[in-house]
Amino acid sequence: MRNPCRAAAVLAAVLLAGCGSLDSVSNSIVDTVRPYRVEVVQGNFVSKEQVEALQKGMTRQQVREVLGTPLVSSIFHGDRWDYVFTLKRQGVPPQQRHLAVFFESDKLARWDGDAMPSEAEFVSALEKHKGSGKVPPLVATEEQLRAASTKNSAPPQPAPAVSAPVAGTPPTSYPPLEAPAR
């Protein structure tokens, strides 16, 4: 041991140099690993088919049956309902659509808003971004049904014997809730 102070200084320099490279490694890991972000869906999805079902002169109740409850109905604008839909998903730009419905004398006068997708277009856009593979068939073949019924048709097993209750344990059977009919 020639100079313990010099050895400590060299060791500190090596450790500090290692910290710099460790920092770049941890930054690259953080850049590649992304936490899961929940899909955020807010509001009412309104499809092109629903907008096409609107007719001037419909009552508020009829409009509510077609479009659902409005997201915004203000006491300051009692004759206007707003349907707003927002969808935020990881890796996809947020979607936002708006439809305003206007009433005169409690009858539908007009509506205005964004071009709405059909239900099929909206669902296909959702599936496109999910990255899910092939959708499994939802219909069983006759052979699959027969195989499942033979698996489930095993003879019933006898019920285990009931032993006498041990002091301090709750009973396993109870008297009927209703009195027998007379």
Side-chain angles (χ1 to χ4, degrees):
M1 293 200 147
R2 294 183 188 166
N3 189 348
C5 290
R6 187 173 181 187
V10 170
L11 180 62
V14 169
L15 289 176
L16 287 175
C19 288
S21 64
L22 183 62
D23 188 42
S24 65
V25 170
S26 64
N27 282 341
S28 66
I29 290 172
V30 168
D31 288 340
T32 57
V33 176
R34 298 277 181 222
Y36 175 74
R37 293 199 177 119
V38 178
E39 293 181 1
V40 179
V41 179
Q42 294 177 319
N44 308 53
F45 170 70
V46 177
S47 68
K48 181 166 79 172
E49 294 88 357
Q50 289 172 298
V51 174
E52 290 172 352
L54 293 176
Q55 298 174 2
K56 288 185 178 182
M58 292 175 87
T59 65
R60 289 178 187 259
Q61 181 60 35
Q62 290 171 323
V63 171
R64 185 175 276 121
E65 289 171 2
V66 171
L67 299 178
T69 304
L71 184 65
V72 179
S73 61
S74 170
I75 59 171
F76 300 110
H77 303 285
D79 291 332
R80 175 182 173 156
W81 286 354
D82 289 292
Y83 292 86
V84 181
F85 175 76
T86 305
L87 175 62
K88 294 181 183 178
R89 304 177 79 188
Q90 187 171 357
V92 179
Q95 297 180 34
Q96 183 169 359
R97 294 193 174 77
H98 176 258
L99 177 70
V101 179
F102 301 91
F103 296 93
E104 289 177 8
S105 303
D106 286 339
K107 299 289 182 187
L108 180 61
R110 63 186 175 89
W111 55 94
D112 184 32
D114 300 329
M116 301 297 172
S118 69
E119 288 182 22
E121 292 168 343
F122 181 70
V123 169
S124 70
L126 289 177
E127 290 300 319
K128 201 181 307 177
H129 297 295
K130 279 218 176 183
S132 60
K134 198 170 88 174
V135 176
L138 299 177
V139 178
T141 63
E142 289 294 326
E143 184 178 302
Q144 291 170 326
L145 291 174
R146 269 188 252 114
S149 67
T150 56
K151 266 189 210 175
N152 295 334
S153 63
Q157 299 295 326
V162 178
S163 59
V166 178
T169 60
T172 57
S173 64
Y174 298 95
L177 295 175
E178 297 178 6
R182 291 184 182 196

